[in-house]
Amino acid sequence: SPYTFTASSLGVGIHKLRALYSGDFRSSESTSNTITIQVNQIPVTATVVLGNLTAIYDGTPKSATATTNPPNQLLAPGVPLAVIFTYNGSSTPPTDAGVYTVVGTINDPNYTGSATGTLVISLAAPGKLTATAVSGSGINLMWTNTNKNAAAILVENSTDNVTFTQIANLPGTATFFAN
């Protein structure tokens, strides 16, 4: 009659199996043919948390980061699992200012998981702003233009540091304003 064998103790990998009959008073010893089976691991779901999703434009590529739970316990305990990123569907990290959909997907045969987020690369604001009073109501503003690709520099005024009113719309290359 047929016999059933349950191989619950076999680990992940390729295994060769055969049956051996040791014989009894009616039959002599015999060996079955060898069969090859592959035991695959069912991937465990892991959590992916995206990071580094805001950046200031400086002309260099901006990449997201990821942490995973669980981390990579097999190769480097505490180190996140390998994650592959796409930015608006491309594997190349973006350089230009803008908004990009980021997808981080675990790249490990033993784990599955992904996360989606938004990477925002902002234009840099003017730096080193100085103000010089030139009269009772006049003021001169000077700054360093930190972004040569700016379309405009907007100058705003506030008397309460809460509500601001635009008082000038200057070319993106401007470094001076007289009021």
Side-chain angles (χ1 to χ4, degrees):
S1 71
Y3 290 92
T4 303
F5 172 73
T6 303
S8 61
S9 64
L10 293 179
V12 173
I14 296 174
H15 301 274
K16 296 189 179 288
L17 302 173
R18 67 180 181 184
L20 176 63
Y21 175 65
S22 60
D24 61 19
F25 68 93
R26 286 182 280 174
S27 300
S28 61
E29 180 180 295
S30 65
T31 303
S32 71
N33 60 315
T34 301
I35 62 168
T36 302
I37 65 167
Q38 179 167 341
V39 177
N40 296 319
Q41 179 164 340
I42 298 172
V44 174
T45 300
T47 303
V48 178
V49 177
L50 298 177
N52 204 30
L53 294 177
T54 58
I56 301 296
Y57 171 81
D58 64 3
T60 63
K62 304 300 177 196
S63 300
T65 59
T67 56
T68 59
N69 188 14
N72 189 344
Q73 299 298 332
L74 300 175
L75 300 176
V79 175
L81 296 164
V83 176
I84 296 174
F85 297 95
T86 60
Y87 307 87
N88 288 352
S90 170
S91 61
T92 304
T95 300
D96 294 332
V99 178
Y100 302 88
T101 299
V102 178
V103 178
T105 305
I106 292 175
N107 183 27
D108 187 298
N110 299 316
Y111 295 91
T112 183
S114 66
T116 302
T118 302
L119 170 63
V120 177
I121 302 175
S122 302
L123 293 174
K128 298 181 182 176
L129 177 64
T130 60
T132 305
V134 292
S135 68
S137 62
I139 191 166
N140 288 344
L141 302 176
M142 292 184 67
W143 59 85
T144 303
N145 190 336
T146 57
N147 188 340
K148 303 301 180 196
N149 295 323
I153 302 287
L154 304 179
V155 179
E156 297 178 333
N157 182 32
S158 175
T159 57
D160 62 5
N161 207 26
V162 175
T163 304
F164 287 82
T165 303
Q166 182 180 319
I167 59 172
N169 184 339
L170 306 173
T173 57
T175 60
F176 179 82
F177 174 73
N179 183 17

